[in-house]
Amino acid sequence: MTDASGRSFEAEPLKGGEIDGVVSKEKGCAGKLGLSHLLAWRTAAFLFSLFLCLAVVFAFSFILPCPVRPQYLSTWNTTIPAAATYDFLAFEDANEDKVLDVFFMYKGFEASRNTCMSADLSPPCLVLTAVDGTKGQTLWELPLVPEFDWVECGVKGIGQKGPGCLVAHADNLTAVDRKNGLIMWQQPRATVMNANLPLISVPDLNADGAEDFAVLSYDPEATLLTPVPTELVFFSGKSGDPIGSRVDVDVNGVFAHLQFHTSTGAPYLLLLTDSGLYAVSMQRLVVRVTAGSKSVMKKDNNWEKKADRNTGFIPLYHSDSLKRVMVVRGGSAQALLVQTGSSVSLLHTEKLEILWSTNTSNLLSVPTFGHFNKDGILDIMVEDDLGNETKTVMVLDGKTGEVLWQISLLSWTPSPRPASVFTLNSISVFIIWGQSDNNQTMYSSFLLHPRFPKLLLERRNPVQNIISFKATLLERGRHASYFILTGPDGRQHTEPTGTDPVILTKRKIKDDVPESEARSVIADEHISDTEDSVKEAFYRLRFSDDLY
């Protein structure tokens, strides 16, 4: 634009109704009045929205109260008078409060007469029991016909209601609902009287909407003179009905087995025999029951290269003194820990070769896995028998097999196996049982912190007949505890044992710290760490259930 003199100037919007230098009072007032009304409406709308949101929040805070965290008892006992028990402890959330509860089995004599008679059974009878993990209160009890063979909990697809317990007793296989202890189905087990744990999980083979399972039947005590066939029998998880006919595994000398998935996810059955360790594809076994299952199970091409063309068996480890095989998870690949009468070895399951081997004499218990160092690979704690009621407890490096830590302790037979609990510090706390002196009236439990390997925290315990011992986290990432099941052994006591009770005890691991005293791993060794520093390290620990 240009003015009268021809000079250009920047165009500007009209301000306050100014026209040709004159302000229009009418337009200026009207504009201010309209803007004022607009701002008032916006403010009112904002305040109303804020009030409405706050009202909804406060209303729902009363209608839907915040969830209450379970209140724990650090220590509790459940006592069953005049009873006997078995080496079985399982942990499942029975009452769905997101806290694990405890399952155990006992044989009730005269003191449990009412429990037995509630199911029209005369004492003694078996009683499967679920106990609240927070306070030790009994959630439910299920009387069953004796005699007891085995029980496994966490079995998927039982009665199509999720994980349940399967009990082998008398002539029955009984499926139990973990929530209320009700029997979902019961089947005669005449065809699998020699069935052995662990159960073998399989997909839904009969298309009834529930996962199925199989049991491997063999006699570990069988000899060449009295051979017993090794057979696989499949069952419906929903109804317990057998699926198809028995499958002859066609191998002799089997004394143990386990299920294993290779790195490709292919399921295999591992067979421990008196001549070594063998594997056979589950696909090969399942297709003999139902041809339609072939598409849902696969084989591992790397393993099948070593399979016998006729039998399908894959030799993994040759030994005439094989004792035990365990799956080791963690690291870059799964591995198998192979125990013989004179060694412990690590078998790489992809290369199918031994990575390391460590000589031993006679292992007393099942090895325990945990993190002693911070290389991310699970280490192994073993107990080696030295004779004269003395044992050496060792931690083997999971990567090399070298001894990372060891101690000699007095022991008794049978003493509980060690246990471990993983922490957020990338290490594990180990719990060991033994005796530091010849005091025959006291047993000791020891806490080992890998950052303080020269000191143990020792807690003295009165002598008890410990049948089972386990450590776990009752809640995800919280409340690390251990459980001790004591009393007469049910497999040895078929008659009443007077007033001897069965006692299930729960203790919080950290509660053992103030009741413990520091003990040097090597006698007379100068140690710079103090008892207070070790205890403080335990107090600072935060536990995790992500062991693998």
Side-chain angles (χ1 to χ4, degrees):
M1 298 176 63
T2 58
D3 60 8
S5 61
R7 293 176 297 180
S8 62
F9 62 89
E10 184 179 0
E12 296 183 0
L14 298 178
K15 299 179 182 180
E18 180 179 344
I19 301 177
D20 293 334
V22 179
V23 178
S24 172
K25 293 182 179 181
E26 181 181 354
K27 291 184 179 181
C29 293
K32 290 180 180 179
L33 185 60
L35 181 60
S36 178
H37 278 292
L38 182 60
L39 291 174
W41 279 109
R42 287 180 176 177
T43 302
F46 170 75
L47 292 175
F48 177 75
S49 301
L50 181 61
F51 172 78
L52 184 61
C53 291
L54 291 175
V56 171
V57 170
F58 280 113
F60 276 92
S61 66
F62 289 101
I63 298 174
L64 300 176
C66 296
V68 179
R69 291 194 60 81
Q71 298 298 312
Y72 295 93
L73 291 179
S74 295
T75 300
W76 51 253
N77 295 325
T78 295
T79 302
I80 311 295
T85 190
Y86 305 87
D87 185 7
F88 165 71
L89 283 175
F91 303 94
E92 298 281 340
D93 185 3
N95 55 4
E96 298 187 318
D97 62 352
K98 299 184 179 180
V99 177
L100 294 182
D101 305 304
V102 192
F103 294 71
F104 70 102
M105 178 80 73
Y106 71 87
K107 180 187 291 184
F109 295 104
E110 193 63 28
S112 301
R113 171 175 292 273
N114 291 337
T115 302
C116 297
M117 294 186 67
S118 66
D120 294 328
L121 301 176
S122 59
C125 71
L126 299 174
V127 184
L128 179 62
T129 306
V131 174
D132 183 10
T134 61
K135 299 180 181 180
Q137 299 170 336
T138 300
L139 297 175
W140 52 257
E141 289 187 323
L142 175 63
L144 296 168
V145 179
E147 287 293 323
F148 174 71
D149 195 354
W150 50 257
V151 56
E152 183 166 320
C153 291
V155 183
K156 297 181 179 179
I158 290 293
Q160 207 174 13
K161 289 187 177 182
C165 296
L166 188 66
V167 187
H169 63 106
D171 296 329
N172 301 318
L173 279 179
T174 302
V176 183
D177 190 329
R178 64 182 171 90
K179 298 178 183 178
N180 50 34
L182 297 179
I183 294 177
M184 289 182 284
W185 53 257
Q186 191 171 74
Q187 294 284 358
R189 63 176 183 129
T191 58
V192 287
M193 290 302 295
N194 293 318
N196 298 269
L197 290 181
L199 297 179
I200 302 164
S201 60
V202 293
D204 183 7
L205 301 181
N206 56 355
D208 62 359
E211 294 185 47
D212 301 319
F213 66 91
V215 295
L216 194 62
S217 181
Y218 56 88
D219 185 359
E221 305 299 327
T223 64
L224 294 177
L225 298 178
T226 58
V228 175
T230 302
E231 298 174 319
L232 196 64
V233 184
F234 294 86
F235 291 89
S236 166
K238 180 180 179 180
S239 63
D241 295 326
I243 300 176
S245 58
R246 302 184 188 187
V247 176
D248 188 354
V249 182
D250 196 23
V251 63
N252 295 321
V254 176
F255 63 87
H257 74 281
L258 68 156
Q259 191 172 10
F260 179 76
H261 287 80
T262 67
S263 58
T264 63
Y268 279 78
L269 180 63
L270 303 186
L271 302 171
L272 286 69
T273 74
D274 51 18
S275 61
L277 176 65
Y278 296 87
V280 60
S281 169
M282 283 300 299
Q283 184 204 78
R284 183 184 184 94
L285 299 173
V286 168
V287 295
R288 293 164 62 180
V289 176
T290 168
S293 62
K294 184 174 182 179
S295 60
V296 300
M297 305 185 82
K298 59 182 179 180
K299 296 182 179 180
D300 188 300
N301 294 331
N302 187 40
W303 280 40
E304 292 301 322
K305 291 177 182 178
K306 295 191 175 185
D308 182 278
R309 291 185 178 180
N310 296 321
T311 64
F313 287 106
I314 306 165
L316 299 180
Y317 188 88
H318 292 287
S319 174
D320 58 1
S321 63
L322 188 64
K323 300 294 184 183
R324 183 180 291 110
V325 175
M326 302 176 70
V327 178
V328 186
R329 298 179 177 85
S332 59
Q334 288 187 347
L336 294 173
L337 188 72
V338 181
Q339 175 192 339
T340 68
S342 59
S343 67
V344 174
S345 305
L346 192 71
L347 174 65
H348 195 287
T349 59
E350 290 185 357
K351 300 178 182 179
L352 291 180
E353 62 182 28
I354 297 297
L355 297 181
W356 54 258
S357 185
T358 300
N359 293 331
T360 60
S361 55
N362 181 27
L363 295 189
L364 290 173
S365 60
V366 178
T368 298
F369 300 107
H371 289 289
F372 189 85
N373 53 26
K374 290 190 174 183
D375 62 0
I377 299 175
L378 283 173
D379 305 308
I380 304 106
M381 177 173 279
V382 297
E383 295 182 305
D384 206 2
D385 187 12
L386 299 180
N388 297 322
E389 297 183 341
T390 304
K391 65 182 178 182
T392 294
V393 184
M394 299 181 291
V395 176
L396 306 180
D397 189 334
K399 185 176 182 180
T400 65
E402 296 179 356
V403 177
L404 299 175
W405 181 89
Q406 64 178 355
I407 187 176
S408 294
L409 294 169
L410 296 175
S411 64
W412 71 94
T413 303
S415 62
R417 60 172 288 195
S420 66
V421 180
F422 193 51
T423 73
L424 294 177
N425 302 68
S426 300
I427 59 172
S428 296
V429 169
F430 295 87
I431 307 175
I432 308 164
W433 287 85
Q435 292 175 280
S436 59
D437 53 38
N438 287 314
N439 188 343
Q440 299 298 318
T441 64
M442 301 294 290
Y443 291 157
S444 293
S445 58
F446 300 90
L447 290 175
L448 169 61
H449 193 303
R451 300 286 75 83
F452 296 87
K454 295 183 178 181
L455 285 178
L456 290 174
L457 292 184
E458 178 182 8
R459 180 179 182 271
R460 298 296 185 93
N461 305 270
V463 168
Q464 297 172 306
N465 188 31
I466 300 177
I467 301 298
S468 189
F469 164 75
K470 286 187 178 181
T472 190
L473 270 64
L474 289 183
E475 193 175 0
R476 183 168 180 80
R478 297 173 56 88
H479 207 75
S481 305
Y482 66 83
F483 295 81
I484 304 174
L485 184 62
T486 64
D489 189 338
R491 297 194 183 277
Q492 299 176 3
H493 295 81
T494 57
E495 298 296 331
T497 55
T499 59
D500 293 339
V502 168
I503 303 175
L504 175 63
T505 302
K506 172 248 178 176
R507 283 190 63 87
K508 189 176 179 180
I509 291 178
K510 285 188 178 182
D511 283 353
D512 277 9
V513 175
E515 300 180 10
S516 302
E517 296 181 357
R519 178 192 186 278
S520 176
V521 172
I522 301 177
D524 301 326
E525 181 184 20
H526 175 71
I527 300 173
S528 59
D529 297 321
T530 65
E531 180 177 305
D532 289 340
S533 62
V534 178
K535 289 184 175 181
E536 182 60 30
F538 273 100
Y539 290 137
R540 291 197 303 265
L541 286 176
R542 295 294 179 267
F543 296 97
S544 170
D545 50 3
D546 189 17
L547 177 61
Y548 300 122

